[in-house]
Structures are given as C-alpha cells and as structure tokens.
Amino acid sequence: MLDAGKTETLLEVNNIEVIYNHVILVLKGVSLNVPKGGITALLGGNGAGKTTTLKAISNLLHSERGEVTKGSILYRGEKVQSLDPSALVKKGVIQVMEGRHCFEHLTVEENLLTGAYTRTDKGQVAVDLDMVYTYFPRLKERRRSQAGYTSGGEQQMCAIGRALMSKPETILLDEPSMGLAPQLVEQIFEIVKAVNEKEGVTFLLAEQNTNVALRYAHYGYILESGRVVMDGPAKELRENPDVKEFYLGMSDEGRKSFRDVRSYRRRKRWLA
Ligand SMILES: Nc1ncnc2c1ncn2[C@@H]1O[C@H](COP(=O)(O)OP(=O)(O)O)[C@@H](O)[C@H]1O
Ligand SMILES: [Mg+2]
C-alpha cells in the first residue's frame, strides 16, 4: 500500500511548541510527516508528549489550557491550527481519543451512528455500518448493548468504528493498546492494518507499546520529554540497538532515558 518515494504527505507538523497554563513548556519543537496511505507511529513513554501532539493537530488543547505557541500544522498543505475539530473532520481527519470515549448510555450501534453525523451522503451510512461490522464482527454481536456495559476491548473497537463512520482519510489514534490484554491489542492492530490496507485510511498512531506499534507501523517517531529523539522506517527502528535496549525491553538495566544512553554511548566511544 505504502509506496515509498511516490507518497504524498498529508499531515505536516513543523517545529511546534506547546505550552500549558501559559508556563509549562511540554512540546519543544516537534516535527513530523504523515504520508498518505501509511501507518505512522508516535512512540514514547508516559508523559513524553504524544497526546499533546495529537491534540495540537486536532485543535483540542484549549479545553486543557494548552496552546501551540510556535510552529505550524498543515494538512494537504493548508494550515489547520485554528480549525475547530468538526471542520477538521470535514477535511477528513478524525481523532480517536485516549481512553476510548464512547457514549456510555447509547448502544454500540447508536455510538457508531453518531460518527456519521457530519455526513451529507446519508444513503451510504447503512453500507458503512456494514463495513464497520465486517471489520469488527464483535461489535455486530454487541450492537444492541449499552456501550457502558461492554468490555474495554469492545469500547476501543467502538471508538475506532465510530471514527470510521465519518469516512475519514486520516485517523489520529491515541494509545489503542491502553489497558488491554496482549491478545486483544494484537486483534485491534490487525484491524487497523486491514483498514489501512483495504480502505486506504492513513493512521497517525500514538503508542507506548513500542513493540506492537513497530510491528504494524511503516514509520516511527520516538518522543522523549517533548522532543523527537529519533525517527526512521519501522523496520530500522526495530533493529536499532538503542531502541531494542530501551523500548523493546531487551535490556536488564531497566529503562533509562533514551538520550542518556546515546550520550553514554558517545562517551564510551570517546574514551575508548
Ligand atoms: N492539561 C495539562 N496541563 C498541564 N500539563 C499537562 C496537561 N496535559 C498534559 N500535561 C503534561 O504534558 C506532558 C505530556 O503529556 P502527554 O501529552 O499526555 O504525554 P503522553 O501522551 O505521551 O503520555 C506531561 O508531562 C504531562 O504531565
Ligand atoms: Mg497519552
């Protein structure tokens, strides 16, 4: 699906800074490119700035007293920083928030249908509901259940399914693995992959679970303390010794800062 060299950049984040409460500088110049048709992973530990980056893109920082104070965000070459989230949905970009927000009192199917509210082609909605049920057979079984009473995995599926109902070009998916058992995480990533390949939906995926994300993504950015410390094709990142050591749990020293390690390695080389 993703053909390197011929790909068009959909989303471009250029050197953004984000400040919360006028004083707390959280993103310190983050840049990234999301090519059409790809799965791009935004990786990093808890507090690295992944959610802040996604919220900056979909202009959801105001309610958090956060603000983009520097840099620019372009979608198809057009500035989107000041668009409200529903205008962004009309452009084809939708965010699935961390913590899989469903309307708890609505049924699974009602939740899915709310995803289609901005659409004008109402006739297509039934077809797309079927499409969502093909990807998520579990949701079809549970379609009459109140969302609040479904499992964490089903709620995550419901949140992704609802996003699909807006017929997006790009989905910003925040931490889909959070709180889910490994087998379910794998299932959800398999579905993300299928949607990417068969529907051509582009993903920007924030994940702490580096291991899983790098197996499904095409390209990854590693964030630490609000800065991109490394980026590259997923395959290269998976094989990178520092990434292996610090993000793929192949070290016995535990997880130090990625930047510490790199300077440590540099020092070692220097002294050798
Ligand atoms: N509303 C907020 N006000 C102040 N600081 C915040 C707010 N939201 C997040 N932060 C801080 O910003 C940093 C990045 O958070 P976040 O983007 O949620 O990281 P991640 O999603 O990678 O875990 C953290 O240090 C967090 O404490
Ligand atoms: Mg987060």
Side-chain angles (χ1 to χ4, degrees):
M1 169 108 265
L2 188 65
D3 188 1
K6 279 198 230 159
T7 48
E8 166 194 358
T9 298
L10 279 185
L11 175 67
E12 206 181 313
V13 174
N14 294 313
N15 205 22
I16 58 166
E17 258 182 28
V18 169
I19 293 182
Y20 283 114
N21 296 317
H22 303 290
V23 285
I24 312 164
L25 179 63
V26 164
L27 296 190
K28 301 156 188 167
V30 167
S31 298
L32 48 95
N33 281 322
V34 176
K36 186 174 169 60
I39 301 178
T40 303
L42 185 57
L43 306 163
N46 194 17
K50 304 181 295 298
T51 296
T52 302
T53 305
L54 296 194
K55 285 189 173 167
I57 295 167
S58 38
N59 206 7
L60 290 169
L61 286 172
H62 292 297
S63 58
E64 306 265 347
R65 298 175 53 79
E67 201 187 345
V68 178
T69 49
K70 213 180 100 182
S72 63
I73 302 170
L74 308 176
Y75 193 76
R76 293 188 165 281
E78 201 184 315
K79 270 200 173 178
V80 292
Q81 261 136 298
S82 46
L83 290 183
D84 63 59
S86 72
L88 199 59
V89 171
K90 289 206 182 101
K91 290 204 175 294
V93 184
I94 192 153
Q95 177 155 356
V96 178
M97 308 262 270
E98 183 177 276
R100 43 184 177 268
H101 294 274
C102 298
F103 299 107
E104 296 190 354
H105 301 291
L106 300 184
T107 64
V108 166
E109 186 155 295
E110 287 163 349
N111 264 282
L112 294 175
L113 290 172
T114 62
Y117 79 102
T118 50
R119 290 175 53 179
T120 46
D121 54 342
K122 299 292 181 202
Q124 266 298 108
V125 171
V127 177
D128 294 331
L129 191 60
D130 270 350
M131 177 267 292
V132 170
Y133 286 146
T134 329
Y135 286 106
F136 297 99
R138 189 73 194 136
L139 292 183
K140 189 167 186 180
E141 289 167 28
R142 301 289 265 145
R143 66 187 196 275
R144 309 259 174 255
S145 308
Q146 205 174 309
Y149 290 110
T150 61
S151 71
E154 288 160 355
Q155 289 186 30
Q156 182 66 72
M157 292 177 184
C158 184
I160 298 172
R162 190 177 63 194
L164 283 174
M165 290 299 291
S166 74
K167 275 293 192 188
E169 180 174 50
T170 299
I171 296 183
L172 312 174
L173 182 53
D174 199 355
E175 208 96 47
S177 80
M178 193 183 264
L180 301 183
Q183 208 187 347
L184 256 176
V185 171
E186 213 66 47
Q187 242 182 58
I188 284 173
F189 274 85
E190 280 296 330
I191 295 167
V192 165
K193 182 176 175 220
V195 167
N196 167 255
E197 288 175 355
K198 295 187 192 139
E199 311 295 323
V201 174
T202 298
F203 282 88
L204 175 60
L205 178 88
E207 254 306 334
Q208 246 185 91
N209 190 335
T210 310
N211 187 0
V212 177
L214 283 182
R215 274 191 287 114
Y216 288 92
H218 304 106
Y219 199 91
Y221 290 85
I222 299 179
L223 265 187
E224 212 176 89
S225 306
R227 286 195 175 88
V228 174
V229 290
M230 190 175 207
D231 68 284
K235 188 169 178 296
E236 283 172 27
L237 292 180
R238 276 201 308 270
E239 285 160 11
N240 179 288
D242 291 345
V243 175
K244 272 186 173 167
E245 190 171 350
F246 290 92
Y247 289 96
L248 300 177
M250 297 175 187
S251 143
D252 1 86
E253 293 170 57
R255 266 189 43 196
K256 279 190 289 187
S257 155
F258 189 45
R259 264 180 299 165
D260 286 351
V261 183
R262 291 214 292 181
S263 49
Y264 168 70
R265 277 175 200 269
R266 274 196 296 275
R267 269 201 313 277
K268 229 174 21 177
R269 251 183 314 218
W270 181 251
L271 294 171

